[in-house]
Amino acid sequence: MACRFPILCIAIINFYIFSQLGLSKNLESDNSDCKDRWIYIRKLPQNFNLDLLKKCSEYPIYDNFCPHLANHGLGQKTHNNSQSWYRTDPYMLELIFHRRILEYPCLTSDYSSANAIFLPYYAGLDALKYLYGPEGNSSFNHGMELFNFLQEDEPEIWRRNMAHDHFLVMARPAGDFSQPLTNDPPIWGTSFLELPEFFNVTCLTLEGRAWPWQDQAIPYPTSFHPHNLNLLDTWFQRVRKSRRNTLMLFAGDSGIANNPNVRRSVRDECENSTANGNSYNGYESICEIVDCLNRVCEHDPIRFMKPMLRSTFCLQPPGDTPSRRSTFDGIVAGCIPVFFEELSAKRQFGWHLPEGQYEEFSVFIQEKDVVGNGLKIVDVLKSISIAEVRRMRENVMKLIPKVIYRRHESSLGLRSKKDAFDIAVESTIQRIKSRLTEISAQ
């Protein structure tokens, strides 16, 4: 068959070869550290994962995501000589995660000895036919094809623990999968997370809901994917030595809607401070705006990383949804995040950004104080001492290894540092263990 998209074909071929060879190499590891860490990867037909990649150009109203499939979902390199930076699309997290789990050192071919069972189902990509394709009116069916397969093919695996030991990755906000089954006619989203059939499955999403039972948010992929310890250390040095000559930065598009909202307030305050030409306490600029209108920043990290490196604080107002990929881009740049509602991060990413430590690495300003009470963000940030800023930045830097997804086939040295994937897998296994313990105690 002729290949219309070389990057796509290479990605699928390479992934298929690795999934056959690499998986068999890792199965039945004799690693003594694997106690209570064994994972069994459920064998799914390719229509649930790799075949979905072949449809990368079928949703023009959404995007042609064929270029983003390069390098097993990391995307194309930002430039030919790049060793760590890629034009990563966060919605490729399912592919990135699948590739990484094939390297997991504690894989087993015996499901009965597994502590967790991974479903390599690209739920976010499969959702596109409902969100942007011709099947919008049947979005309540999303997931039923998978469920029927799991019931018919080795059903004892699914039933062993009533699916409490199963987990998957959904590379979209949980809200995109939470349309009530009673909606008639259907509105935005699919009903995957509303299906009783999947209530017991742990779903790793880019953004969770306020009542997390099934879903748990894990970091958005950034564009930084080092493959050895030296590259990570080199980046640390650049972040630490970076001259922070801007007090605060906002990277994003304009405020949503015409009514008052925190994003519009942030942008208005930033534009006013720039227009007045203010400087402060060694800062050459009070605020900088990186205009990301029309999604120009999505696959161009150079556009926003350089400004983030020269900024002390990165403003993270919510947009269409509470959380933002920019939060993690800013952390990678050593830029102290400023949040305006708890759902933006504190009540989302508890595995990777511990809830009790937010005051150590971030600033919180009530949204209502900015929008309704006229509080100036700049006044809050100016009140923070230089010593406190330095301490907070050091704490932000400590988070960098925890929120990045290192490149597949990384060096042993880098693997010694737990990244976003490692933490997500360990926490998922612990969550499953806790649930099964609770059930057995009932």
Side-chain angles (χ1 to χ4, degrees), residues 316 376 431:
Q316 304 296 350
K376 296 299 181 184
R431 177 172 175 163

Side-chain angles (χ1 to χ4, degrees), residues 121-394:
Y121 171 50
Y122 299 171
L125 296 183
D126 201 22
L128 293 178
K129 62 188 178 187
Y130 303 108
L131 302 178
Y132 301 100
E135 300 184 41
N137 290 330
S138 58
S139 58
F140 53 85
N141 286 327
H142 182 209
M144 288 308 301
E145 184 181 0
L146 173 65
F147 176 74
N148 291 335
F149 170 80
L150 296 172
Q151 290 294 293
E152 296 169 1
D153 183 81
E154 298 184 281
E156 65 277 8
I157 301 178
W158 180 259
R159 297 170 186 168
R160 182 179 66 140
N161 289 304
M162 299 180 294
H164 281 286
D165 53 1
H166 285 59
F167 73 103
L168 55 81
V169 178
M170 310 178 80
R172 300 189 71 88
D176 288 356
F177 306 99
S178 305
Q179 180 178 184
L181 292 165
T182 54
N183 279 0
D184 186 18
I187 53 176
W188 172 259
T190 81
S191 300
F192 188 100
L193 292 176
E194 296 293 319
L195 294 173
E197 291 83 351
F198 289 98
F199 278 174
N200 295 341
V201 176
T202 296
C203 303
L204 307 181
T205 62
L206 292 179
E207 177 181 286
R209 296 171 292 180
W211 54 96
W213 165 254
Q214 301 150 279
D215 49 286
Q216 169 65 43
I218 60 176
Y220 286 73
T222 67
S223 294
F224 182 53
H225 309 283
H227 68 271
N228 63 48
L229 200 54
N230 181 60
L231 292 171
L232 179 62
D233 289 342
T234 299
W235 179 251
F236 268 121
Q237 294 173 23
R238 180 172 181 183
V239 171
R240 180 167 282 112
K241 294 178 180 179
S242 217
R243 183 167 176 262
R244 309 280 170 169
N245 54 19
T246 300
L247 178 65
M248 60 186 189
L249 171 140
F250 169 64
D253 59 15
S254 58
I256 54 176
N258 292 320
N259 55 301
N261 61 78
V262 67
R263 179 171 286 210
R264 186 171 297 280
S265 297
V266 164
R267 192 166 183 118
D268 288 346
E269 181 175 341
C270 203
E271 289 175 343
N272 289 338
S273 67
T274 302
N276 294 332
N278 292 331
S279 59
Y280 163 75
N281 199 22
Y283 289 108
E284 297 174 4
S285 173
I286 293 294
C287 188
E288 182 174 356
I289 295 176
V290 178
D291 196 338
C292 294
L293 190 63
N294 297 324
R295 303 166 62 186
V296 296
C297 297
E298 282 190 0
H299 307 116
D300 186 6
I302 296 174
R303 184 183 291 267
F304 54 82
M305 287 304 297
K306 286 186 176 180
M308 285 179 171
L309 282 168
R310 58 176 177 257
S311 302
T312 294
F313 297 98
C314 282
L315 310 180
Q316 304 296 350
D320 294 331
T321 63
S323 67
R324 308 182 69 212
R325 170 183 170 169
S326 177
T327 295
F328 301 99
D329 293 323
I331 289 174
V332 169
C335 191
I336 301 167
V338 180
F339 299 116
F340 300 89
E341 64 174 65
E342 290 192 342
L343 268 175
S344 290
K346 191 172 186 179
R347 293 172 59 187
Q348 293 282 346
F349 306 101
W351 289 351
H352 296 79
L353 306 176
E355 187 173 339
Q357 299 178 14
Y358 268 72
E359 293 183 357
E360 303 297 317
F361 65 84
S362 69
V363 177
F364 182 76
I365 304 174
Q366 288 280 358
E367 178 177 356
K368 64 181 181 180
D369 290 337
V370 176
V371 178
N373 299 331
L375 177 67
K376 296 299 181 184
I377 300 169
V378 67
D379 291 338
V380 175
L381 301 184
K382 284 181 178 179
S383 69
I384 302 174
S385 69
I386 295 177
E388 179 68 4
V389 166
R390 288 174 178 166
R391 187 184 67 83
M392 293 174 73
R393 183 179 301 121
E394 286 298 316

